[in-house]
Amino acid sequence: MFDSTDFETFYKVFPAKDYGKQIPERQNLNKNDLAKTNWFKTQIEKVLTK
């Protein structure tokens, strides 16, 4: 299952909680810091343009 190319099959056995703990994106960001990111800006623009 882990080697499957089908996402639904793969994700059942993927250790998501253990994957990439050291990358900054997985760390909890302060709300004020998060609001300054390009990701946040893009998400707000998506909501406002709908």
Side-chain angles (χ1 to χ4, degrees):
M1 291 176 74
F2 194 71
D3 293 328
S4 175
T5 58
D6 176 55
F7 178 77
E8 295 297 326
T9 302
F10 168 77
Y11 197 70
K12 290 177 184 178
V13 296
F14 179 66
K17 291 182 180 178
D18 298 328
Y19 181 75
K21 288 183 177 181
Q22 301 304 320
I23 59 175
E25 290 82 1
R26 287 289 309 262
Q27 307 306 313
N28 291 326
L29 294 175
N30 177 306
K31 290 179 183 179
N32 291 331
D33 292 337
L34 179 60
K36 296 175 187 175
T37 65
N38 285 333
W39 173 85
F40 186 81
K41 179 182 174 185
T42 302
Q43 299 305 309
I44 294 298
E45 288 173 345
K46 285 181 185 177
V47 170
L48 295 176
T49 58
K50 287 188 176 186

